Amino acid sequence: MKLSKGEKILCGVFILVLIMVNPPVINIVNDYCINNPIMSGWPTMLIWLNIWYIVAIVAFLIGALKIKSWKKDYDEKQFKNIKKEG
Amino acid sequence: MNIGIIILGLYTLSLLGIAFYASKQDKKNIKDFATASSSLGVFVLTLTFSATYHSSYAFLGASGFVYKNGVGWWVNGIWTVFPGVLFWIIGRRFWLLGKTQGYISMAQYIGDVYQNKFIGLIVTIIALMFTVPYVAMQAIGSGYIFQVISGGQLNYAFGTIVFFAIMIILVWLGGMKGVAITDAAQGVFMWIGMVIGSYIIINKNFGSVNAAYEAVFNQFPKLLTLPGPAGVVTPQDWISRWVIITIGMMMFPHVTLRFFSGKSLKVLKWSSVFSAIYLTSIYVFTPAIGMIGNILMPNMASPDTVFPEMLLKYTPVVFAALIISGALAASMSTGDSQLHAVSSMVSTDVYKTYIKKDASDYEQYKVAKIATLIFGLLSVVVALMKPGMISNILALANGGVAALAPAMIGGVYWKKSTPQAALSSILIGEATMLITTFVVKSPLGFMGGFWGLAVALVVFVIVSLVTKPVGKTIEIIDLINNFFHAEEA
């Protein structure tokens, strides 16, 4: 299985998001939050987490719009040809 | 009569009306019953996946957890965003196999991909074992909600029985189509209930969300950081929670059946994107609600009911009753989907595979309906026994099915996956999960389900490397890769 450039970028973004919302990064953020629990009226930790969740959702949305192999739809006739070649 | 009960009655009637409408389109065969003949569109598939994914936990457990443990609850965001991603990344592969190989269940798939029916049987047994208590959990949630909404006039047992009867009727009447359409309606209701209901409570008591958080900061600052006032949300707890729930949920039969139910790949893709948005946005005010619960209703014995109780106290009764019906929507939309999945599995993976191999589609359809009744009644009995805490059932059930993941996912991605690896990873993974849940509890602070999944993965990789794959596994993975990645190769 070979991933397209778009899929590789998306994988990178998802991995980055998971790193940013997990230990040890989240522990560092938590240390900051202990001294600054509120930012612009919202919990700092909540803002941090939501930023990364939004990044993941937006990346997923862009992937759904842009990645070519994700636009492929099932076609009985085309599938039969692929199966024959395989 | 209590206005809450009247609204609940009307709500129930409307659901039954939708199911009755769906039953008119019933084709009376097992494929239609189990997967709606792969006919669901974006709107319905998004909401049936989302509403099924989030159970009574969304309405009750979530704000209850924040009430006790604070902002650490929002680790849950990982399992609101990534299930949508996985629904597409993994789900499209199964969708294609449903189209090309005719699978309508994961047991059919795993038995075929590894050319070993025994693995299919093991998967069926494990899925049944861990789904039935989960169905019962929805009934427990419904029972509590019923008690709250009727102001204590109707008891827990009555609520449990009535709502299970409704769930059985919903599945019986419409199969997947009926369940999916009612889920869609309930999904809309659930979103409005949680988002608008929360906002009204916050606004009425504090004027704004910012002011609510400021008040929490002044009185309960520990709610704003990890590990929370009770020290629960440790790094190990954090990792265990999202790993088990994200992966485990994707292995439940009521979720996997939805892989096969989309009308097209385009529908599956957009349902996945919108599910991630829906599931994340529904919790926008939940942290605030759970936290201000400590100010408005301090020292609650059972924090799980903090949100419905605040609704009843701070919003007009008609509105509160309507919104609390959203909580029932959350319970019922998961419960009916689970009941439907269990009965479909019994019909296709037990009856057709082991009891009557030449069973017609209509016979399987009838068996599925009878199984709905039997498992529905069984779940009511379990629910009336009130087994343990809701959160314990959730963790155990998710951990139990999470151990299936390496074998399930390996069969569509990794050509070196072997039947021996699949079987040993499932059995050793389940054993590990049970031992680390009940005997040596949570070693190093990680939950039992996490250990079950980790050990299953290691066993799967090692055994795959020392045994030979079967031709069918390679054939299926080639077929999938040729379809999705032909242009990149």
Side-chain angles (χ1 to χ4, degrees), chain A residues 57, chain B residues 47 50-51 53-55 57-59 62 73-74 76 79-80 186-199 274-287 289 307 326-327 329-330 333:
Chain A
I57 290 174
Chain B
L47 290 172
S50 305
Y53 191 86
H54 278 220
S55 57
Y57 173 82
F59 213 88
W73 164 82
W74 198 216
N76 291 4
W79 56 265
T80 60
Q186 298 188 83
V188 172
F189 217 74
M190 196 166 121
W191 197 93
I192 294 171
M194 283 192 62
V195 176
I196 298 179
S198 301
Y199 184 75
F274 294 139
S275 296
I277 297 169
Y278 174 96
L279 289 170
T280 309
S281 63
I282 199 167
Y283 289 119
V284 63
F285 298 125
T286 300
I289 280 292
F307 184 40
S333 58

Side-chain angles (χ1 to χ4, degrees), chain B residues 129-158:
Chain B
M129 262 174 55
F130 290 109
T131 308
V132 169
Y134 205 173
V135 183
M137 186 184 102
Q138 306 312 321
I140 294 170
S142 297
Y144 285 137
I145 294 164
F146 206 81
Q147 216 171 348
V148 171
I149 205 169
S150 66
Q153 286 178 23
L154 299 169
N155 65 23
Y156 166 85
F158 183 83

Side-chain angles (χ1 to χ4, degrees), chain B residues 55-360:
Chain B
S55 57
S56 53
Y57 173 82
F59 213 88
L60 301 174
S63 39
F65 193 95
V66 178
Y67 184 97
K68 282 188 290 187
N69 302 303
V71 72
W73 164 82
W74 198 216
V75 59
N76 291 4
I78 303 177
W79 56 265
T80 60
V81 175
F82 284 92
V85 176
L86 293 178
F87 194 61
W88 169 240
I89 301 291
I90 300 174
R92 64 181 175 153
R93 292 182 163 242
F94 290 112
W95 184 91
L96 183 69
L97 294 181
K99 280 283 176 196
T100 59
Q101 313 292 309
Y103 305 144
I104 54 172
S105 78
M106 294 305 263
Q108 277 182 348
Y109 144 74
I110 204 161
D112 194 39
V113 77
Y114 292 116
Q115 293 291 287
N116 186 327
K117 279 191 180 173
F118 182 65
I119 302 177
L121 179 65
I122 293 285
V123 166
T124 305
I125 292 169
I126 291 170
L128 283 176
M129 262 174 55
F130 290 109
T131 308
V132 169
Y134 205 173
V135 183
M137 186 184 102
Q138 306 312 321
I140 294 170
S142 297
Y144 285 137
I145 294 164
F146 206 81
Q147 216 171 348
V148 171
I149 205 169
S150 66
Q153 286 178 23
L154 299 169
N155 65 23
Y156 166 85
F158 183 83
T160 303
I161 293 168
V162 165
F163 277 88
F164 240 94
I166 294 162
M167 277 191 248
I168 292 170
I169 295 168
L170 290 179
V171 178
W172 182 281
L173 276 177
M176 173 58 101
K177 210 171 281 172
V179 167
I181 297 173
T182 48
D183 278 357
Q186 298 188 83
V188 172
F189 217 74
M190 196 166 121
W191 197 93
I192 294 171
M194 283 192 62
V195 176
I196 298 179
S198 301
Y199 184 75
I200 291 173
I201 294 170
I202 294 165
N203 206 40
K204 187 164 184 176
N205 290 285
F206 297 91
S208 72
V209 182
N210 293 19
Y213 281 128
E214 290 287 350
V216 171
F217 170 59
N218 291 329
Q219 295 184 48
F220 301 97
K222 280 192 171 179
L223 287 170
L224 301 171
T225 55
L226 306 178
V232 168
V233 192
T234 61
Q236 293 94 323
D237 178 85
W238 181 280
I239 294 170
S240 302
R241 216 172 274 280
W242 78 257
V243 170
I244 298 171
I245 298 180
T246 307
I247 308 285
M249 276 289 188
M250 299 312 287
M251 294 296 118
F252 268 114
H254 60 279
V255 172
T256 56
L257 267 182
R258 279 152 181 77
F259 292 157
F260 303 110
S261 303
K263 196 189 285 179
S264 64
L265 281 167
K266 197 175 171 184
V267 164
L268 197 69
K269 180 175 76 178
W270 287 111
S271 297
S272 304
V273 174
F274 294 139
S275 296
I277 297 169
Y278 174 96
L279 289 170
T280 309
S281 63
I282 199 167
Y283 289 119
V284 63
F285 298 125
T286 300
I289 280 292
M291 289 181 196
I292 62 170
N294 286 283
I295 298 169
L296 301 176
M297 294 185 164
N299 306 316
M300 283 184 80
S302 174
D304 280 355
T305 56
V306 64
F307 184 40
E309 288 195 24
M310 279 201 276
L311 279 169
L312 285 170
K313 192 169 175 185
Y314 297 111
T315 63
V317 67
V318 174
F319 178 81
L322 268 171
I323 301 304
I324 294 172
S325 296
L328 276 168
S331 287
M332 283 173 56
S333 58
T334 304
D336 61 8
S337 300
Q338 288 168 327
L339 197 55
H340 163 262
V342 164
S343 47
S344 298
M345 276 169 67
V346 168
S347 173
T348 56
D349 303 331
V350 179
Y351 183 74
K352 167 84 174 166
T353 311
Y354 297 100
I355 298 172
K356 196 174 178 197
K357 290 182 178 169
D358 60 345
S360 67

Side-chain angles (χ1 to χ4, degrees), chain A:
Chain A
M1 184 179 78
K2 202 165 186 285
L3 296 179
S4 66
K5 193 180 164 191
E7 285 173 309
K8 282 178 192 165
I9 293 171
L10 201 59
C11 279
V13 173
F14 288 152
I15 290 167
L16 177 71
V17 169
L18 285 177
I19 290 170
M20 291 302 178
V21 298
N22 269 292
V25 174
I26 205 75
N27 299 346
I28 298 165
V29 175
N30 192 51
D31 289 343
Y32 177 81
C33 292
I34 290 170
N35 296 320
N36 306 278
I38 293 273
M39 191 183 275
S40 307
W42 282 68
T44 312
M45 177 64 82
L46 201 63
I47 294 173
W48 174 262
L49 293 170
N50 278 335
I51 285 172
W52 292 105
Y53 297 150
I54 290 167
V55 166
I57 290 174
V58 171
F60 190 29
L61 185 64
I62 294 170
L65 288 167
K66 298 280 181 191
I67 294 175
K68 208 174 160 189
S69 66
W70 286 19
K71 290 179 180 171
K72 202 165 204 171
D73 219 337
Y74 179 75
D75 174 351
E76 186 77 35
K77 224 160 95 182
Q78 178 203 13
F79 171 75
K80 277 176 186 165
N81 292 336
I82 288 171
K83 207 175 174 185
K84 270 180 200 168
E85 286 162 20

